Amino acid sequence: MDWTLHVLLLGLLLPGLQAFKPLLGNSITHREITKMAILRKTTEVCQALAIAEGRDFRIPTGRLSASKVQRACSHNDGSLESAVNFKASIMTIYLSNAEVDVIYRLSDRHHFKGEDFTGSRALITDGMASIKANVWKENFISARFTLGKICHTLQDFYSNSNWIELENKHPNTNLIRPDEIGAGKCSHGGFFDCTSQPDPIAGINKDDDGADHGHLHRAAAAMAVDATMELLEDIRGAAGEKNFLRLMGITHSSVLCFVIDTTGSMSDDIEEAKRVSFSIIDSKKGTQDEPSSYILVPFNDPGVGPLTRTRNSDIFKQRIDALSATGGGDTPEMSLSGLLLALSSAPASSEIFVFTDAPAKDVYLKSTVIALIESTKSVVTFFLTNPLFGRRRRDTNSKSRLYQELAEASGGQAIVITKDMLDQATDIIVDSSTTGLVTVLHVVRNPGGTDYFSFTVDASMRNITTYLTGSSLTFSFTSPSGVSQSSSASDGPLGTIKVVGNLHTIRLDTQTGLWEIRVTSTQPYTLKVTGRSSIDFVYNIVEDLVGSGSDFTLKEGRLRAGGSGTLLLSVVGGDSSQ
C-alpha cells in the first residue's frame, strides 16, 4: 500500500507580524471571521431549538447581522426586543480576540508560530474547558473573554500553516481536541523573514491579499470561519442550546437584580423590595417582559451574600421572602461589597437596584466598582432611605455623594427619599424591566445652573419617560409642535409629572421630532430620558492597532480629561446591517 505523507508546516513570524491583518484593501480580519462564525452558529442553534420546541423558524435572508439573527431567534414576532446584548457579546469576544496581538504578541504558541504547535493546541483545549466550566457557573462574561482569545489562536493556524496549501477541505478538528499531532515548520514569508530568502523562496503568509501566499488569503479566512464554528459547536454540545444562546447574549428580557441592606433598620425597605419584585414577577410571567433571570445579593455587616442567581421566579420569591432585618449597629455598612458581587455575577448591561439606609463602610472599593461598571456597562440605581440622607442639604451631599458618583458613572440614579415614600419611587424598577428599553439622553450637571438640552424622537420610539434627580430645580419641556409645559403643572398638555423625594418622573406624550428641555438648579442634578425602541447602539473605547495584526482592542484605563480617544460604535436594530 502506498502512503502519502502530508507534513503540517507552521509559519515563523517576527514580533508584530501576526495574522489576518485589517484595513488592507479587501482583506478579511479576525473581527470579521469571529463575527461571521458567531452569527452563523447562533442562527443554527436557534433553528435547532425552534424545531425541538415545535416552532417555525425563518432563516434570515441576505447578509447576516446581529439584528436579523436576534429577530429570528425571537420568533419573528415583531416585538421590541433589542439585539444590543447580542451585539455587545459579539464585540466583547472579538475585542478580546484582538488583545492577543497586544498582550501576547511575542508568544509563539498564541499564534501557531515556530515549532510550538503543542503549546498552541493546549491553549485552545484548556481554554475550551474553562469556557464550558464558566458557562455552567453562568459566568458568561469570563467565558466570552476566554472565547475571544482562543478563537484568535485557532484562526491564526489557517493563516500561519500550510493547511490550505495541502488542499484540505475541512478544518483541522484535532486542534480542539487533546490528540497528539506531529508538526513541522516553514517560512512564513515577508520582507523581515530571513528564512524566505533561500529555497523555498518566500513563505506561506496568508495574512492578507498582498502576502506571499495572498492568493490563498480568502480560502484561509473561510476555513478559519468554519473552524471557529466547529469550536462553537463543541461548546454548544457541552452547554446545551439555551446556555449557548445566553453565552452569546441572546436574551428575551431583562434581569431583575437586587442588592439589599439587611441590617436592623431596613425592615420597611425589605418589605418594599419584596412587594415590587413579586409584582414584577406576577404581572410579567409568561409575557415577553418576564425577566430572564433573577439575582439577589443581601449584605449586612460584616457579612455579604449569599448570592442567589436563578431563572426560577419561585426560587427568587422564596429567597427574597426569607430576608429579615437584623444586626448592624454602627451606621456605615458593606454596600459596595454587595454591589461588587452583583456586578461580577450579573450579565453585561444589567440594571442593578441597591436598597440601603446607610453610607458605605467599604469606600476603598470605589475604584474597583467603577471599573466593573464601565466594563460591564451595567446601570446602578440606589434607593437611599435613611433620614441621614435628607435631613439637611449638607448631610445629603456628604453622605450620599459616593452613591451619586457611582450612579452617574453607570447612567443610573441616586434616589433620596424617606421610607414612607419608597413605594412611590419603585416605578422605575418596573419601567426598567420592559423589553427594548433604550436611553435617549443622559447628562450630569455639577455644579448646577441653567441648561438647555434637546433630544429627537423617531417613529420607532414609544413610552418616553424623563427622570430628573436633584433638589432645588425647575424645568420645562417644549414639544416638536411648539407646545410647552413647566414643572409647576403636574398634569399638562405634554404629560404627567410625579415628584418623590429628589426624583422627578415625567411621562411624555410621544411626538416625533425634536424635543427641548430647560433645567434650572442651584444644586447638581442628573437628567435621563428613556423610551422603548428596537433600535439601539453598542460602544467601546478602543485603541487602533493598525499594523499589529488586529484592528481594535479595548483601551486600558480611563480617558484623560481633555484628551482624545477612539469610540467603536455599532447601531443595532431597524435596517442596520451590524
Side-chain angles (χ1 to χ4, degrees):
M1 180 178 295
D2 293 332
W3 293 86
T4 301
L5 179 63
H6 292 279
V7 179
L8 182 62
L9 304 178
L10 304 180
L12 296 173
L13 290 80
L14 290 178
L17 300 176
Q18 312 299 353
F20 296 120
K21 295 179 182 177
L23 307 179
L24 296 173
N26 295 317
S27 300
I28 303 171
T29 69
H30 277 287
R31 188 208 308 192
E32 288 299 316
I33 291 168
T34 304
K35 184 170 70 172
M36 283 189 283
I38 290 174
L39 292 175
R40 291 177 187 175
K41 180 53 62 178
T42 302
T43 302
E44 288 182 9
V45 173
C46 286
Q47 183 179 28
L49 187 61
I51 292 172
E53 294 177 350
R55 295 184 283 104
D56 291 333
F57 183 85
R58 293 199 295 271
I59 297 176
T61 58
R63 182 180 179 183
L64 288 180
S65 68
S67 300
K68 287 182 178 180
V69 174
Q70 173 78 54
R71 193 157 48 245
C73 292
S74 302
H75 315 164
N76 291 283
D77 58 6
S79 63
L80 283 178
E81 214 162 288
S82 172
V84 67
N85 288 333
F86 184 29
K87 183 62 181 180
S89 298
I90 295 174
M91 290 179 71
T92 295
I93 293 167
Y94 69 56
L95 288 172
S96 174
N97 184 315
E99 285 186 338
V100 174
D101 275 341
V102 178
I103 301 174
Y104 305 106
R105 92 186 274 186
L106 300 180
S107 169
D108 284 356
R109 64 178 185 152
H110 282 83
H111 305 283
F112 273 102
K113 297 194 303 184
E115 302 177 49
D116 201 359
F117 186 105
T118 302
S120 299
R121 181 170 47 80
L123 280 175
I124 296 171
T125 56
D126 291 349
M128 290 176 68
S130 173
I131 292 166
K132 294 170 185 177
N134 275 316
V135 168
W136 278 110
K137 295 176 183 176
E138 300 189 6
N139 296 330
F140 297 112
I141 296 175
S142 296
R144 289 171 193 140
F145 277 107
T146 303
L147 179 58
K149 287 180 171 60
I150 67 172
C151 281
H152 186 106
T153 301
L154 177 67
Q155 292 159 6
D156 271 1
F157 171 80
Y158 298 95
S159 173
N160 299 344
S161 77
N162 68 335
W163 187 258
I164 302 300
E165 283 83 349
L166 294 175
E167 298 185 355
N168 288 291
K169 304 303 180 185
H170 302 285
N172 185 352
T173 302
N174 289 318
L175 295 180
I176 62 174
R177 296 174 181 170
D179 302 321
E180 292 295 329
I181 308 175
K185 61 182 179 179
C186 76
S187 163
H188 178 266
F191 178 80
F192 295 102
D193 186 350
C194 61
T195 66
S196 67
Q197 302 308 315
D199 290 335
I201 298 298
I204 56 171
N205 183 345
K206 295 176 286 294
D207 295 351
D208 55 70
D209 289 331
D212 293 312
H213 279 202
H215 62 288
L216 296 176
H217 167 72
R218 295 190 171 278
M223 189 74 78
V225 172
D226 291 342
T228 305
M229 289 181 64
E230 187 178 69
L231 183 150
L232 294 174
E233 175 61 27
D234 188 276
I235 294 171
R236 173 250 192 123
E241 279 82 2
K242 291 185 178 179
N243 269 341
F244 177 85
L245 294 179
R246 295 176 73 200
L247 171 64
M248 293 299 111
I250 293 286
T251 56
H252 298 294
S253 54
S254 61
V255 172
L256 186 60
C257 183
F258 284 174
V259 180
I260 302 178
D261 185 342
T262 60
T263 52
S265 59
M266 285 290 294
S267 57
D268 291 342
D269 306 62
I270 292 173
E271 289 303 312
E272 177 57 21
K274 292 178 183 179
R275 184 199 69 80
V276 71
S277 63
F278 288 7
S279 175
I280 290 173
I281 291 169
D282 293 340
S283 66
K284 300 191 176 186
K285 195 166 188 176
T287 73
Q288 65 171 353
D289 287 337
E290 181 178 3
S292 58
S293 61
Y294 306 86
I295 296 174
L296 174 64
V297 179
F299 66 91
N300 203 287
D301 188 7
V304 175
L307 168 76
T308 296
R309 182 174 52 195
T310 179
R311 282 173 277 171
N312 188 319
S313 60
D314 292 332
I315 292 177
F316 184 76
K317 277 187 172 183
Q318 293 170 9
R319 299 292 170 81
I320 199 170
D321 195 44
L323 295 179
S324 60
T326 60
D330 60 333
T331 300
E333 311 297 356
M334 304 293 286
S335 54
L336 297 197
S337 296
L339 176 55
L340 191 61
L341 181 56
L343 285 165
S344 302
S345 306
S349 304
S350 289
E351 294 264 358
I352 299 174
F353 300 96
V354 182
F355 295 79
T356 186
D357 64 355
K361 175 179 288 187
D362 43 3
V363 179
Y364 62 90
L365 291 174
K366 175 184 174 182
S367 59
T368 304
V369 168
I370 289 179
L372 202 51
I373 284 172
E374 292 175 343
S375 64
T376 63
K377 296 182 175 62
S378 290
V379 177
V380 184
T381 292
F382 295 88
F383 293 94
L384 310 175
T385 58
N386 192 301
L388 286 174
F389 288 124
R391 185 184 305 147
R392 295 189 304 271
R393 184 174 300 162
R394 180 177 299 176
D395 287 336
T396 299
N397 289 340
S398 62
K399 296 183 182 297
S400 66
R401 188 58 202 159
L402 171 62
Y403 296 132
Q404 290 170 350
E405 290 177 6
L406 296 177
E408 291 167 3
S410 73
Q413 294 154 95
I415 302 170
V416 180
I417 46 178
T418 59
K419 291 182 182 293
D420 59 352
M421 295 177 178
L422 186 57
D423 64 333
Q424 303 172 55
T426 50
D427 285 349
I428 192 172
I429 301 176
V430 179
D431 293 345
S432 70
S433 62
T434 58
T435 58
L437 188 71
V438 299
T439 298
V440 181
L441 174 68
H442 179 251
V443 294
V444 176
R445 285 293 181 265
N446 186 7
T450 298
D451 291 287
Y452 296 84
F453 309 99
S454 63
F455 62 93
T456 301
V457 173
D458 63 25
S460 74
M461 294 290 299
R462 64 183 74 170
N463 298 1
I464 307 298
T465 304
T466 299
Y467 303 99
L468 267 164
T469 307
S471 58
S472 304
L473 56 80
T474 59
F475 54 88
S476 62
F477 287 84
T478 302
S479 72
S481 61
V483 177
S484 296
Q485 179 178 338
S486 71
S487 53
S488 61
S490 59
D491 190 3
L494 300 181
T496 57
I497 301 173
K498 178 181 176 182
V499 182
V500 182
N502 71 332
L503 173 66
H504 302 70
T505 304
I506 307 97
R507 301 194 183 278
L508 297 172
D509 295 334
T510 302
Q511 294 183 30
T512 59
L514 184 67
W515 286 76
E516 295 181 347
I517 309 173
R518 179 181 186 272
V519 181
T520 299
S521 177
T522 59
Q523 300 296 317
Y525 66 90
T526 63
L527 168 64
K528 184 175 183 178
V529 181
T530 68
R532 295 186 67 196
S533 176
S534 61
I535 302 174
D536 204 346
F537 67 90
V538 184
Y539 73 93
N540 282 285
I541 305 297
V542 297
E543 293 180 296
D544 191 350
L545 298 175
V546 174
S548 70
S550 192
D551 45 8
F552 297 101
T553 188
L554 288 170
K555 180 173 176 57
E556 295 292 332
R558 308 181 71 183
L559 291 174
R560 293 183 178 181
S564 62
T566 301
L567 185 71
L568 179 61
L569 185 145
S570 291
V571 177
V572 294
D575 296 324
S576 167
S577 61
Q578 298 298 314

